[in-house]
Amino acid sequence: MRLHRLTLRNFRGVKDRTVDLPGIGTTVIVGDNEVGKSSLVEAFALVFDFPDDSKSTRIRDIQPVGQDVAPEVTVELTLGGRELTYTKRWLKNRSTELSVVDPDGRRQTFTGREAHNEAERLFAENVDPVLWQTLMVGQGQSLVLPTPADAEPLITAVTAESGTPVDGASMPLVTAVEHEYLRYWTRGGRPTGDFAKSAQHVAAAELAAEQALKAMDEVLADIRRAERLALDLADLSGRLDTHLVSVEELREKKKATDEILLRRDSIRSRAETARARLENHTRTRLERERLLADVERFTKADEELAERWKHADQTARKAAETVHAAEAALAEVVELKDERRGEVQDVERLVSSLMDRAELDRLLGQQAELVDVRARIAAAGAVLDAILVDDALVTALEDARAKVVEARAALAAGVPEVSVRRLGGEAVELSGTGLDAGAGKVPSSVAEDGVVELLVSGELVVGVPGAVEVRVRAGGEAATLRAAVDEAVRREKDLLKKARVKDLPAARELLRKGDLASAELQEARRTERSLTSGGDPAERIALLTSRLGFVEGESVEEPAPKQVADVSVPGQMSLFEQFEPDENAFDFEDLEIPEPMDVGELAVAQRRLENARSGLAEAESLLADAEYAAAQARKAADEDRSEAQQARARAELAGERLAAAIESLEAARSLLADDDVEGAEVEATGEVEAVLEELTAVQEQVDAAGADRVAGELADALAVATRLQGERDVLRDSLRTTEGRLEQSGRDGLATRRDTAELDLAAIRSEHESLKRRADAAHRVYETLGRHRAEAQTKYSEPLQTRIEALGRSVYGPSFRVWLDDDLAVAERELDGARLRVEALSTGAQEQLAIITRLAISHLVSTGEGSVPIIFDDALGWSDKARLRDMGALLGRAGDHGQVIILTCMPDRYEYVPRATYIKLES
């Protein structure tokens, strides 16, 4: 099958589109998202699958939303050697038309349901559906690896290459063996039917016999368990009785030692009380010593701080007198400075006025130059505005002139050239169409002894009234040559009109003139920027005249603009014509200023200013010295005053601390005199020593009797007794339970049940063994035939595997290998010695492997009735640039064997596909 043309109308977002496809080679159909690339493949599928009266959701979905129009598809293809044109329209004005041209040229036409049925029959008859689905990759399906084991064209191709029969005389035997095998086994090798039921009966009988035997074994185990439990119970009861005697002995011992422990605890309490009393008396002694030391220390500090306060107060009074003298000297220097500053300001105003007059003289000269420059700018701008010619227009005129010359040369070479000479006195008249006399006008007659040479591209009539008429007609090509000349001339005239020039040399001269004007404009603008870099001088002039307060007097004439050289071109306008100044320029007519000042006057004023500033600097220096002296005096006075205040505060604080210390000491003495403090501490020390001696004697009695250990030994003994009693109770319960089971087993007849189960098991096993021998025989025969079939399958898949590896090595290198499963799908890949399952490969590698597999299948079935195009929609989205280069080369080679169609919105992925045909879909 080969697709030649697809036409879609009102199909989803496609209003009307036709795509022509080469019958062989790689075609890349490029378009943005939503432009309708995938709709091409969908339309081809729908046109064969659904009749025109279908109400399917898939048909309703292809109708543009909100439009009452009929989706329509036309397909032109070659199918089974026949050329088909198949058109179908759904939903509105439904119709189906099929045109079939047989290989012998016979044409058949079908319409309606008959057309649909015939097309469906031809498609099913010539296109294997598995192969078609295998080689058509829809959007988002490029990672799905094909499993083409059911594709008949592929099976036929690999069978032809491998030489392995797919059917033959062995097939009835295989069927019979498989039928017998399935009586006993499932296809997965598990027992089934009567064989499975027999195995279940054996298992049930074995379970019954095992349970009966297990029941007997449990009885014997219970007998042994009961004997062992009885012995363990007797032993444990004896040990428990012995241990209870030890517990009673420890209880009596604990009663005897409790009295000693109580006496020791009482002595310990008295010792703690004595220690607390001793610590209290010791703290009292230390506090009394601290209070006596504080009174002595604060008394000494109070005397020292009072002396410091007196000395600091005298120093502060002297510093205040120094500050008063410094401030009086400072006031005198400030008065001197103010006097000299006034003198400087007067001279500065005089100098400023003189400098403003000098600046005014300079600005007037600058303004005159600026007026001249602006006149040049305006003149150059006017010239540039009048010139319409630029480089591009001149280039276009040159090209147009060349085309006119070429067209006239072609006309001269391709049409007849007629020369008419007047020999006698009779008038010779000329008329006709398509006549060309070169640069001159075609005359209506020939002058006496004159010659007229013409190129005839139409018809020339040469006549002598009343004597002869000659007609000359040009050939069929002459009209084309004449039209080319007319078009070239028209193009040249249009360009000359656009440029407003008479010919090409005039345009070139105008372009040169424009370049001169542009250069002059740039130079004038640079000068203007330089003159106005500090601002517009006219504004500064007005400000200075206002500031100086000039009275009306002699006026200053406005400078006249300089004359610009006249650069003229013959037959054209002057480059720079006389330019009228800007009406908004600065007006000098009302400006009146005095005569320019004397330069020496400014020098004298500047010397006076320098002397006045020197005097001011001297006064400022004196003022700085006086201010520094006053500041230092103030600082010293502030420090002395602060020191006196701090000395007074410290003296007052020391007095307060001394008073507080004396008050605390008197309060403590009122409670206990100084002499009694040490005696109370000595008495408390003796009491503590006596109690500690008594406690030591009692502790020796406790250690001798072991009283501290008795309570712990008794607790441990009670815990052991409790544990032994629990173990004895558990043994008693276990013995009772075991004896109860033995009594019940004697009543159940377990021995008889065991014997019956063993007999039943023997009979069932005998019957099962007979079935098993037959099942094993069928299994061996089935496995033997299956092994031979697997060997044939391996040989059967070798052609496809070889073709996949050959294509893959052109991408991955010589280490590339693959292994196929029973469905002829790639199961594993090896590269550089690493063998991996397909599921473990990267996304890009899986996609590349799927494309390579489809290309291999296409190669095997590229000829014959079973061949179909390969279609990739939005593939190679996970490949890096190096892989895109290799895969592009592979897709290009695939087009040499058949029809490869690629739909993409990313054409850069396929830039490495050689010899590809690109089709651009516009929205």
Side-chain angles (χ1 to χ4, degrees):
M1 179 180 71
R2 290 291 182 266
L3 303 180
H4 302 301
R5 175 177 293 177
L6 270 172
T7 300
L8 280 64
R9 296 184 181 89
N10 302 318
F11 194 99
R12 293 193 182 275
V14 178
K15 185 175 182 180
D16 191 344
R17 173 173 293 134
T18 298
V19 177
D20 293 312
L21 302 169
I24 192 168
T26 303
T27 303
V28 181
I29 300 177
V30 181
D32 296 334
N33 291 327
E34 306 297 330
V35 80
K37 301 184 300 298
S38 301
S39 297
L40 297 174
V41 182
E42 182 184 15
F44 182 80
L46 295 179
V47 78
F48 282 96
D49 290 347
F50 292 93
D52 56 30
D53 58 354
S54 173
K55 304 299 182 183
S56 171
T57 303
R58 292 184 61 187
I59 296 300
R60 291 196 299 270
D61 288 345
I62 65 175
Q63 185 182 38
V65 177
Q67 299 183 34
D68 187 19
V69 293
E72 180 179 328
V73 176
T74 298
V75 182
E76 297 181 20
L77 68 157
T78 300
L79 190 63
R82 301 178 179 87
E83 296 179 1
L84 275 65
T85 301
Y86 191 22
T87 300
K88 187 171 290 185
R89 187 187 307 119
W90 294 275
L91 302 179
K92 279 191 70 176
N93 302 321
R94 301 189 306 271
S95 67
T96 302
E97 298 176 2
L98 173 64
S99 173
V100 181
V101 180
D102 293 335
D104 58 4
R106 185 169 58 91
R107 178 184 297 273
Q108 300 180 70
T109 301
F110 305 90
T111 59
R113 176 64 72 166
E114 181 184 14
H116 173 79
N117 294 338
E118 180 65 14
E120 188 178 52
R121 182 188 69 79
L122 291 173
F123 190 81
E125 182 180 288
N126 293 280
V127 177
D128 182 86
V130 176
L131 183 63
W132 172 245
Q133 293 300 323
T134 298
L135 298 185
M136 183 174 67
V137 180
Q139 192 170 26
Q141 298 177 340
S142 60
L143 298 179
V144 180
L145 270 76
T147 54
D150 295 330
E152 289 188 9
L154 178 62
I155 302 305
T156 303
V158 297
T159 300
E161 291 202 14
S162 65
T164 303
V166 294
D167 202 351
S170 62
M171 291 306 295
L173 175 60
V174 171
T175 303
V177 169
E178 184 177 5
H179 179 73
E180 182 65 17
Y181 171 82
L182 293 176
R183 287 184 56 192
Y184 306 103
W185 308 93
T186 65
R187 293 190 182 277
R190 296 189 300 274
T192 187
D194 293 339
F195 182 45
K197 292 178 182 178
S198 175
Q200 293 172 359
H201 293 161
V202 170
E206 289 176 344
L207 179 61
E210 181 182 355
Q211 290 175 345
L213 182 60
K214 183 178 179 181
M216 287 299 298
D217 292 340
E218 289 176 353
V219 170
L220 295 175
D222 282 343
I223 293 173
R224 291 191 294 272
R225 186 182 297 109
E227 294 173 350
R228 186 175 66 255
L229 288 173
L231 293 174
D232 292 343
L233 181 59
D235 178 67
L236 185 61
S237 297
R239 288 191 288 120
L240 177 60
D241 293 340
T242 302
H243 189 73
L244 290 176
V245 172
S246 300
V247 170
E248 290 301 321
E249 292 175 353
L250 287 171
R251 280 177 176 163
E252 293 297 326
K253 187 176 179 181
K254 185 175 183 300
K255 290 179 182 178
T257 58
D258 283 348
E259 182 179 354
I260 300 175
L261 293 176
L262 287 174
R263 189 165 63 255
R264 185 188 65 180
D265 292 342
S266 175
I267 295 172
R268 280 179 174 174
S269 176
R270 286 165 48 205
E272 291 297 327
T273 303
R275 285 195 189 96
R277 190 178 299 114
L278 174 59
E279 291 175 357
N280 185 40
H281 286 301
T282 301
R283 282 195 300 272
T284 301
R285 178 180 59 79
L286 294 175
E287 178 64 17
R288 184 64 52 86
E289 292 175 353
R290 185 187 66 79
L291 288 173
L292 289 171
D294 285 349
V295 169
E296 183 179 358
R297 178 164 53 86
F298 289 150
T299 300
K300 185 177 180 181
D302 181 61
E303 294 173 353
E304 292 178 354
L305 291 173
E307 184 64 25
R308 288 182 186 176
W309 175 22
K310 180 179 179 181
H311 177 72
D313 185 61
Q314 293 174 353
T315 303
R317 293 177 184 276
K318 292 180 180 179
E321 295 174 357
T322 303
V323 169
H324 180 71
E327 287 179 345
L330 176 62
E332 293 178 0
V333 175
V334 167
E335 184 177 354
L336 175 62
K337 179 193 170 185
D338 291 342
E339 179 182 347
R340 293 187 177 178
R341 179 185 290 122
E343 182 181 351
V344 168
Q345 290 174 350
D346 292 341
V347 178
E348 282 179 344
R349 283 193 290 272
L350 175 60
V351 171
S352 176
S353 176
L354 294 175
M355 291 180 68
D356 284 346
R357 289 181 59 186
E359 175 67 7
L360 178 60
D361 292 341
R362 186 188 66 80
L363 289 174
L364 287 171
Q366 182 178 334
Q367 178 66 21
E369 186 178 356
L370 183 61
V371 169
D372 175 64
V373 168
R374 286 175 175 169
R376 291 167 56 199
I377 291 174
V383 170
L384 290 175
D385 291 341
I387 295 175
L388 304 179
V389 178
D390 55 15
D391 290 336
L393 189 54
V394 170
T395 301
L397 278 169
E398 290 172 346
D399 292 341
R401 173 94 305 254
K403 284 184 169 48
V404 169
V405 173
E406 291 173 2
R408 290 188 183 278
L411 180 66
V415 301
E417 181 177 0
V418 178
S419 178
V420 181
R421 181 185 300 274
R422 181 174 173 182
L423 300 177
E426 297 294 332
V428 178
E429 297 177 351
L430 301 176
S431 63
T433 59
L435 305 179
D436 192 337
K441 183 178 180 182
V442 178
S444 60
S445 62
V446 181
E448 289 188 29
D449 297 327
V451 179
V452 176
E453 295 182 349
L454 299 174
L455 295 176
V456 182
S457 57
E459 181 183 57
L460 170 64
V461 179
V462 181
V464 177
V468 66
E469 182 180 89
V470 179
R471 291 181 180 271
V472 180
R473 292 189 180 91
E477 187 181 359
T480 303
L481 296 174
R482 165 56 63 184
V485 171
D486 293 342
E487 175 60 24
V489 171
R490 183 195 62 77
R491 172 63 177 164
E492 183 183 30
K493 288 181 178 179
D494 289 344
L495 291 173
L496 290 173
K497 182 178 179 181
K498 180 179 180 181
R500 297 182 184 177
V501 293
K502 61 183 179 181
D503 52 20
L504 178 59
R508 288 173 176 159
E509 190 62 29
L510 256 175
L511 181 63
R512 186 187 66 80
K513 178 180 175 182
D515 292 340
L516 291 174
S518 179
E520 174 67 17
L521 179 63
Q522 292 176 4
E523 176 62 27
R525 282 177 174 167
R526 281 195 297 270
T527 304
E528 181 188 29
R529 285 194 297 271
S530 175
L531 292 173
T532 59
S533 59
D536 192 344
E539 297 177 0
R540 182 66 177 166
I541 289 170
L543 177 64
L544 289 175
T545 54
S546 174
R547 183 189 299 170
L548 292 172
F550 291 151
V551 297
E552 293 186 2
E554 186 176 352
S555 63
V556 178
E557 295 183 359
E558 178 183 356
K562 295 180 180 179
Q563 294 298 320
V564 183
D566 181 43
V567 181
S568 301
V569 178
Q572 302 296 330
M573 61 180 288
S574 172
L575 176 60
F576 296 115
E577 296 176 350
Q578 183 65 32
F579 171 68
E580 294 295 333
D582 185 1
E583 60 181 4
N584 295 320
F586 182 74
D587 188 3
F588 289 87
E589 292 182 357
D590 297 330
L591 177 62
E592 297 179 357
I593 61 173
E595 290 293 333
M597 71 172 192
D598 185 2
V599 178
E601 185 181 353
L602 177 60
V604 171
Q606 288 176 337
R607 282 195 298 273
R608 283 182 59 195
L609 177 61
E610 183 178 351
N611 295 332
R613 284 175 176 171
S614 297
L616 177 62
E618 182 180 356
E620 288 176 344
S621 177
L622 293 174
L623 176 61
D625 294 340
E627 286 177 343
Y628 178 76
Q632 290 297 107
R634 292 191 197 99
K635 180 179 179 182
D638 291 342
E639 290 176 353
D640 293 340
R641 185 168 53 256
S642 176
E643 178 63 25
Q645 292 173 351
Q646 291 177 5
R648 179 179 180 179
R650 286 194 292 268
E652 291 175 352
L653 179 61
E656 291 174 357
R657 287 179 177 176
L658 176 59
I662 293 173
E663 182 179 358
S664 298
L665 179 61
E666 294 300 327
R669 284 173 174 171
S670 66
L671 296 176
L672 188 65
D674 295 342
D675 297 337
D676 296 337
V677 171
E678 186 174 356
E681 184 181 13
V682 172
E683 182 182 353
T685 301
E687 184 182 356
V688 170
E689 292 174 351
V691 174
L692 290 177
E693 289 178 0
E694 186 178 359
L695 179 61
T696 301
V698 173
Q699 184 63 43
E700 290 175 353
Q701 294 178 7
V702 170
D703 295 340
D708 288 333
R709 298 191 302 273
V710 171
E713 292 173 352
L714 177 60
D716 294 342
L718 289 173
V720 171
T722 302
R723 177 176 59 79
L724 293 175
Q725 287 173 348
E727 292 177 357
R728 183 190 62 184
D729 294 340
V730 170
L731 286 174
R732 281 177 179 173
D733 293 341
S734 298
L735 181 58
R736 290 170 184 165
T737 302
T738 304
E739 290 173 347
R741 284 201 304 270
L742 288 173
E743 184 179 354
Q744 182 64 34
S745 299
R747 293 194 295 269
D748 290 344
L750 294 179
T752 302
R753 287 173 54 196
R754 180 193 62 188
D755 296 339
T756 302
E758 290 178 346
L759 291 173
D760 292 342
L761 176 60
I764 292 172
R765 274 179 174 169
S766 176
E767 180 180 356
H768 178 68
E769 286 299 325
S770 176
L771 275 173
K772 188 174 184 301
R773 285 192 294 274
R774 294 196 296 273
D776 289 344
H779 194 279
R780 284 193 297 274
V781 174
Y782 182 77
E783 278 189 338
T784 301
L785 287 176
R787 186 171 61 256
H788 288 292
R789 291 179 67 192
E791 293 173 357
Q793 178 71 16
T794 301
K795 185 177 179 183
Y796 177 77
S797 63
E798 283 180 359
L800 179 58
Q801 179 177 345
T802 301
R803 194 62 59 92
I804 293 174
E805 290 178 347
L807 295 177
R809 284 168 186 160
S810 67
V811 176
Y812 295 100
S815 64
F816 176 81
R817 292 190 62 196
V818 295
W819 284 265
L820 307 183
D821 59 17
D822 292 342
D823 293 329
L824 299 184
V826 177
E828 298 177 0
R829 186 208 72 178
E830 180 178 314
L831 188 62
D832 297 330
R835 183 169 175 175
L836 297 172
R837 295 284 302 172
V838 168
E839 297 81 3
L841 298 177
S842 68
T843 304
Q846 290 186 41
E847 182 183 48
Q848 295 153 19
L849 190 56
I851 292 175
I852 290 171
T853 303
R854 289 182 170 87
L855 295 178
I857 294 170
S858 173
H859 282 200
L860 288 170
V861 298
S862 61
T863 60
E865 295 298 328
S867 64
V868 294
I870 315 176
I871 299 177
F872 296 107
D873 189 0
D874 194 25
L876 291 180
W878 286 273
S879 299
D880 56 39
K881 191 166 186 178
R883 287 286 181 259
L884 287 175
R885 182 182 293 106
D886 296 333
M887 292 301 293
L890 187 61
L891 289 169
R893 291 193 297 273
D896 298 336
H897 298 274
Q899 190 178 30
V900 180
I901 301 172
I902 300 170
L903 301 107
T904 183
C905 61
M906 301 290 290
D908 292 348
R909 296 180 190 167
Y910 304 95
E911 62 180 330
Y912 302 107
V913 179
R915 301 177 300 281
T917 300
Y918 281 82
I919 298 175
K920 174 68 174 177
L921 299 184
E922 302 294 343
S923 58

